[in-house]
Amino acid sequence: MRQTFGQAPQAVSGVNPAHIMHAEFKAEGIYFMATDGLDPTAATVSHKITLNIGFDNADEQLTVFNALSEEGEISMPLNETFWGARFGIVKDKFGISWMLNHQLSK
């Protein structure tokens, strides 16, 4: 699955609409999610990756989010999104960015 910023139901200012907003890769029990990110100028040689964790439990998501944000930096607080999830982005104390996604019940 691949979705560009230009395909998003809400306009995202300041990004190239051709860049990948969300991509998924699945194979034999491995599930990767990826994005080109919101700020292409923020990437450095050592920080060109953002990792995603999907959660089945909202309390576990909050615990991990809080732990990763200790001595780190919250880029996007946990909030409900247009794709039906609670989502947040945090950079840990080592400079690694994490996206935390919890799909909400319908």
Side-chain angles (χ1 to χ4, degrees):
M1 189 286 247
R2 180 183 75 155
Q3 181 180 30
T4 65
F5 283 100
Q7 294 169 319
Q10 294 175 292
V12 182
S13 63
V15 297
N16 183 330
H19 285 181
I20 302 298
M21 182 178 86
H22 179 76
E24 297 179 16
F25 310 90
K26 299 177 186 179
E28 298 182 26
I30 298 173
Y31 180 51
F32 290 99
M33 296 173 71
T35 182
D36 282 329
L38 293 174
D39 184 0
T41 63
T44 64
V45 174
S46 62
H47 299 169
K48 288 188 175 186
I49 189 167
T50 299
L51 301 174
N52 183 83
I53 304 173
F55 292 89
D56 294 326
N57 180 290
D59 292 334
E60 183 181 16
Q61 180 196 32
L62 180 60
T63 298
V64 172
F65 187 87
N66 289 338
L68 288 170
S69 66
E70 285 180 25
E71 298 182 53
E73 176 183 332
I74 295 172
S75 303
M76 180 184 291
L78 289 174
N79 278 307
E80 291 189 18
T81 65
F82 66 84
W83 63 87
R86 186 172 77 169
F87 178 81
I89 303 173
V90 62
K91 186 181 292 185
D92 68 22
K93 65 182 178 181
F94 303 106
I96 298 171
S97 291
W98 297 87
M99 298 185 298
L100 289 85
N101 194 75
H102 170 62
Q103 219 41 54
L104 300 172
S105 299
K106 292 182 179 183

